Amino acid sequence: MIEWRRLREEHLEIVRQWRMREDITAGMYTDPVISPDDQMKWYARVSCDSTQKYWITVRDGKPIGLVSLSEISQTHKSCATGGYIAEDRDFAAVVANEYGLLKVAFDVLGMNRVQAEVLGNNMRIVKMHELEGYTTEGIRRQAICKHGQYYDIYVQSMLREEWLAGKMRYQSDVVIEL
């Protein structure tokens, strides 16, 4: 069983460690070195920002990843997704995170559009999103430079009408602490 627990101060150290791991940063725009103080400042900022929501993904009582909704706009009824599985990676955990993000965005927050951006070095996620019902809207060519190498960004989205029509191919049980 996958659970999401709201991000709390007690989770900050494990999230900080995950966020600096090479296998995690490989799929992200940055490779940060984060001090405990920097992490606390980030948490203070995001925990009172209504345009961002963060959860720890937990399986069998053990934290295994992080998920987020950001750029939440009640005006435009849109948001962006993010996250990763850092421990005990498997397809079931990834699907639970993706399904949970869409469920919260559409069913709880009433969004009309959910967007994901994926680095071109992570084509497995691009393909998984397409199988889940996302539409690839475009590619921002060579938009990110990491370690002297340029990467494309795949922009993908799902609309509320697609969610309601059951376009999401995979479903999962996830218990979400709102």
Side-chain angles (χ1 to χ4, degrees):
M1 168 71 83
I2 298 287
E3 299 175 68
W4 284 5
R5 297 183 185 153
R6 281 178 294 170
L7 180 66
R8 292 186 178 84
E9 193 171 329
E10 67 199 56
H11 304 125
L12 294 183
E13 182 56 25
I14 194 166
V15 171
R16 185 178 79 86
Q17 293 297 325
W18 288 339
R19 187 58 181 89
M20 293 188 295
R21 278 182 17 196
E22 189 175 324
D23 62 319
I24 300 299
T25 63
M28 299 194 171
Y29 297 172
T30 61
D31 299 309
V33 175
I34 307 165
S35 72
D37 187 52
D38 290 339
Q39 185 76 345
M40 187 60 79
K41 288 175 185 172
W42 169 80
Y43 177 69
R45 189 174 62 253
V46 301
S47 62
C48 63
D49 183 346
S50 64
T51 69
Q52 300 183 64
K53 296 186 180 299
Y54 289 84
W55 296 269
I56 294 294
T57 305
V58 177
R59 180 176 25 214
D60 300 325
K62 178 184 171 192
I64 63 168
L66 178 80
V67 291
S68 67
L69 292 173
S70 61
E71 302 172 35
I72 299 168
S73 170
Q74 290 300 331
T75 302
H76 301 298
K77 299 291 185 193
S78 65
C79 66
T81 64
Y84 50 84
I85 299 295
E87 310 292 340
D88 303 327
R89 276 188 200 127
D90 63 20
F91 187 69
V94 173
V95 167
N97 272 355
E98 289 293 327
Y99 184 74
L101 285 169
L102 293 169
K103 186 166 185 54
V104 170
F106 291 121
D107 296 347
V108 176
L109 299 178
M111 296 289 108
N112 182 62
R113 180 179 186 277
V114 174
Q115 177 173 301
E117 292 185 358
V118 184
L119 279 184
N121 67 345
N122 203 352
M123 293 306 293
R124 289 183 343 167
I125 297 298
V126 170
K127 296 296 181 196
M128 185 188 79
H129 280 169
E130 289 172 346
L131 287 171
E132 289 175 341
Y134 280 81
T135 297
T136 298
E137 297 179 339
I139 301 169
R140 292 176 28 212
R141 299 179 313 146
Q142 297 186 5
I144 296 293
C145 183
K146 288 180 67 167
H147 312 291
Q149 183 172 350
Y150 290 96
Y151 295 93
D152 297 340
I153 297 173
Y154 284 73
V155 179
Q156 301 179 291
S157 70
M158 185 180 290
L159 301 178
R160 179 177 194 72
E161 63 197 45
E162 295 164 337
W163 170 257
L164 293 174
K167 193 171 178 184
M168 176 88 177
R169 180 175 183 178
Y170 303 110
Q171 295 187 11
S172 178
D173 291 326
V174 59
V175 176
I176 303 167
E177 180 182 44
L178 295 175

